[in-house]
Amino acid sequence: QFQLVESGGGLVQPGGSLRLSCAASRFTLDNYAVGWFRQAPGKEREGVLCISSSGGITNYTDSVKGRFTISRDNAKNTVYLQMNSLKPEDTAIYYCAATFRYCSGYVSDYAYWGQGTQVTVSS
């Protein structure tokens, strides 16, 4: 089956940084848009950032603007989420997902999902 695996989560203090990775197996991400989503306990899963197959970027969460950056390395079949100046409200499970279409901020538009990686921002 197509697989996406996130890594890089952990516990960081406010103001810290993390880089999450989303690695694909058994398929090539080149023709897919890849989005990062996050879900805090008791909250709906929300779109954060998406990068299209051509490299275009769409932001779906105003609170991460200027702090989070999405990028892709097709040679490594991997998409990254660089998170800087982390805040407690960024605490969530972060998921990557792929869709064979244009970028979307809606969970229902994505067919392939990773297992998620926990990001906890706390002092």
Side-chain angles (χ1 to χ4, degrees):
Q1 298 293 329
F2 293 175
Q3 291 183 332
L4 294 172
V5 178
E6 303 95 335
S7 62
L11 174 64
V12 297
Q13 294 186 340
S17 297
L18 285 173
R19 189 179 76 160
L20 307 184
S21 298
C22 173
S25 298
R26 306 186 189 276
F27 75 110
T28 300
L29 285 177
D30 294 25
N31 296 321
Y32 290 82
V34 178
W36 283 97
F37 292 76
R38 65 185 184 184
Q39 187 168 24
K43 303 294 185 180
E44 295 293 318
R45 192 170 300 186
E46 64 175 352
V48 180
L49 284 163
C50 180
I51 186 165
S52 73
S53 61
S54 62
I57 296 169
T58 305
N59 180 279
Y60 301 101
T61 303
D62 288 342
S63 64
V64 310
K65 289 182 178 178
R67 300 189 298 119
F68 290 12
T69 303
I70 190 170
S71 62
R72 67 191 303 158
D73 186 339
N74 287 342
K76 296 182 178 179
N77 211 24
T78 300
V79 173
Y80 303 96
L81 182 66
Q82 179 67 47
M83 305 185 294
N84 299 324
S85 301
L86 283 162
K87 303 175 180 180
E89 52 263 43
D90 296 319
T91 296
I93 300 175
Y94 283 72
Y95 300 87
C96 67
T99 180
F100 198 70
R101 54 156 291 159
Y102 299 110
C103 276
S104 170
Y106 296 104
V107 169
S108 60
D109 286 334
Y110 291 81
Y112 308 117
W113 290 85
Q115 84 290 344
T117 186
Q118 177 71 49
V119 172
T120 302
V121 185
S122 176
S123 59

